[in-house]
Amino acid sequence: MRLLLIHSDKIEYSLKDKTRYAEYLDNSSKSDSMDEALVVFVSIEKIDEKNPENVVKKAIKEIKDVCKEVGTVNVMLYPYAHLSDTLADPNFSIELLKRMETELNNLDGFNIKRAPFGWYKAFNLQCKGHPLSELSRTITPDKEEDESKEEVNSTFYILDTRGRLYDPDLFDFTNYENLKRFYIYESTGDRKTDNKTPNHILLMRREEIADYEPASDPGNMRYYPKGRLIKSLLEEYILKRALDSGAMEVETPVMYDTSHPALGEYLKRFPARRYEIDSEKKRLFLRFSACFGQFLIGKDMTISYRNLPLKMVEMTKYSFRREQRGELTGLRRLRTFTMPDMHTFCSDLDQAMEEFEKQYELSVDMLKDIGLSTKDYEVAIRFTRNFYEEDKEFIERLVSIIDKPVLVEIWDERFFYFVMKFEFNFIDKSGKATSLSTVQIDVENAERYGITYTDADGRDKSPIILHCSPSGAIERVMYSLIEKGSMMDIPILPTWLSPTQVRIIPIHKEENDFTEEVYFKLLNEGIRADIDDRDSTLSKKIREAEMEWIPYIVVIGEKERKGRMLSVNIRKDKSKEELSVEDLIRRVKEEVGSLPKKSLNLPYTLSKRAKFV
RNA sequence: GCCUCGGUGGCUCAGUUGGCAGAGCGGCUGACUCGUAAUCAGCAGGUCGGGGGUUCAAAUCCCCUCCGAGGCUCCA
């Protein structure tokens, strides 16, 4: 809806001819006028049809606010098509205008008039000409409130490793502080925090990992070289593990037609807020996961029961969710993020559960490599009551894999498109829970998308689909690692993810040759090393290397040069050791193991490095 | 989106009842040639987030707006 608001000394109009869309009027109202009035010229637009209540509400608020500002209570609503080139259907527009009129009339102390719709009119308007006397407003509807906003009836329990289900209020949370915080976080509205900026936000900037980009939309970050490196390593690792587990990598579009039948239905069941963009003929939305892309591929495939379980994966760069402004927090919650999204078509529930368990174990294992052990997150398993009664042992097995009590949520009946899901939740210092890995058993979408496989009996059947993000969003993994670091006595990243793995600090110029020799040996072994060649003191260089969380700091002075040994500060255990270059190489390589290696994407001498922050 | 709080050199922040925009770090220049968490001195650097208003005078008061943090809500 477009509004042009003119604060006038007087407005008067008279009707001339009808257009095709003229609303019916008796003869009494062929002309009208109003003194000292806010004239509101209105164009109702196509997009308003999506959520009329909401547009009316917002428009009324605007008009009310402007009236207050200019100090008038007289309002003339004046339909005016020329403010927009995407007009709504005329019948819809008349209804909407009438509604605005009614709503305004319901406000106390206002005098409302409305000019008729669909007539050629002559009008005279005397604008007051003060600074606020001419205003325009564009009102767009919020996305229609989700139809699925009804109450979900569910009950929380704690399930321990011996298969005992507890009422959380009766469970002894001693030694399970985080589980307790997670339960409180999930079950109550109690989200009290220390009101401080989260550690990872301070650190992501100080460590030159990521930063806000005010020139973009909120929740869209920029990544500096170190951040890009960490992110890229994680992406590579996570994708590789998914492929190794048998998934086929695909790539699907980031935008889709809002009016596609299957997508429209799904949008209602997954009510994430979308970014929308206009193309010539279509209104498109940016994907919030790779579900549609992979389902649409699946629909066109010819699948035999012999092919199942069948997995597709995509590292979605990007997924978009237009989260509410106040929900965005650093790397924890974004509007644009990177997420591995894997879907597995399974023949039946038995196969789905078998796969579910494998993917659960895969997730545990991946997080471990990434540097998050089972101590670092809490497990939630959620399912319908039926499901639990029929498959108790299955759920108990999941608990035993994690080997500590988990939070269980039991839904009275199936409410979502899935019958079961788990998530691993990182709990940060301020008690906030953030989901990382998750798998859902979807019993609805195969049918909706027309995905079928041919079973042994020759009949086409709908598969059950697993949705899996084995690590959760990459940015969230980074958030968790940084937050975890900030809670450690000596913050550190896993060696394979540390941008600089070895910092070499020569003390005098005389050590330059040996320093370079060490550097190139490390480089040749695929180890990310750099040299602090700046004109500064040793203490200061050590301090700065420590603040960068560098796992190995090598100091080279006269003694080392002559003995061809290295004095190495090992951050992990705060120790200092004398190592040969070969020993150092062996240690680093051992720690990195088969995890991805990438070259340092910064100049290898610190004197060449500019500051990003 | 709503509520609360905030935005001052690249960074972190001070700036009193409205009255000449400051410090530390970083950068640059020079000195120091250094052995494990900040060597010393000098110099440069600011449309006080943006727009409008009040005022003789606005970083400071008012309005609008953008951005950030926390909360509500929600999630990968």
Side-chain angles (χ1 to χ4, degrees), chain A residues 366-506:
Chain A
M366 283 172 70
L367 290 187
K368 196 173 112 221
D369 274 349
I370 287 169
L372 298 169
S373 75
T374 54
K375 286 189 201 125
D376 296 317
Y377 52 86
E378 296 304 323
V379 179
I381 308 178
R382 308 172 202 255
F383 39 81
T384 54
R385 196 166 288 285
N386 289 346
F387 191 97
Y388 182 60
E389 275 150 20
E390 283 162 33
D391 288 290
K392 249 183 183 150
E393 305 78 44
F394 176 67
I395 304 222
E396 286 166 15
R397 205 154 60 239
L398 298 178
V399 177
S400 70
I401 290 168
I402 212 82
D403 198 27
K404 64 173 185 175
V406 309
L407 180 70
V408 157
E409 181 179 10
I410 300 183
W411 302 304
D412 290 345
E413 53 197 78
R414 181 162 73 85
F415 177 78
F416 305 100
Y417 56 78
F418 41 84
V419 291
M420 176 177 190
K421 73 178 293 200
F422 79 79
E423 320 113 41
F424 297 157
N425 292 274
F426 182 82
I427 317 294
D428 71 18
K429 204 176 178 183
S430 63
K432 283 204 197 68
T434 303
S435 318
L436 297 170
S437 317
T438 180
V439 179
Q440 304 161 1
I441 303 182
D442 174 355
V443 295
E444 213 177 83
N445 280 303
E447 207 169 331
R448 176 168 300 135
Y449 281 80
I451 301 166
T452 58
Y453 71 95
T454 310
D455 207 350
D457 58 12
R459 301 246 279 277
D460 282 352
K461 294 181 184 166
S462 297
I464 290 184
I465 302 175
L466 262 48
H467 299 239
C468 170
S469 187
S471 63
I474 308 294
E475 295 83 352
R476 280 199 172 172
V477 171
M478 294 169 73
Y479 146 81
S480 304
L481 287 171
I482 299 170
E483 284 286 337
K484 179 184 171 180
S486 76
M487 290 187 266
M488 295 158 77
D489 293 339
I490 308 167
I492 190 165
L493 292 174
T495 302
W496 74 281
L497 286 170
S498 297
T500 297
Q501 294 167 321
V502 180
R503 163 75 40 88
I504 312 169
I505 305 178

Side-chain angles (χ1 to χ4, degrees), chain A residues 526-563:
Chain A
I527 292 167
R528 289 186 296 272
D530 52 25
I531 302 173
D532 193 343
D533 62 337
R534 293 171 301 175
D535 180 17
S536 174
T537 57
L538 177 62
S539 292
K540 189 163 181 179
K541 290 176 178 184
I542 297 275
R543 176 183 148 86
E544 291 186 6
E546 300 283 10
M547 297 215 304
E548 280 185 61
W549 301 7
I550 293 171
Y552 294 94
I553 302 170
V554 173
V555 176
I556 298 180
E558 192 182 358
K559 193 179 91 195
E560 288 76 14
R561 172 169 53 93
K562 288 187 171 153

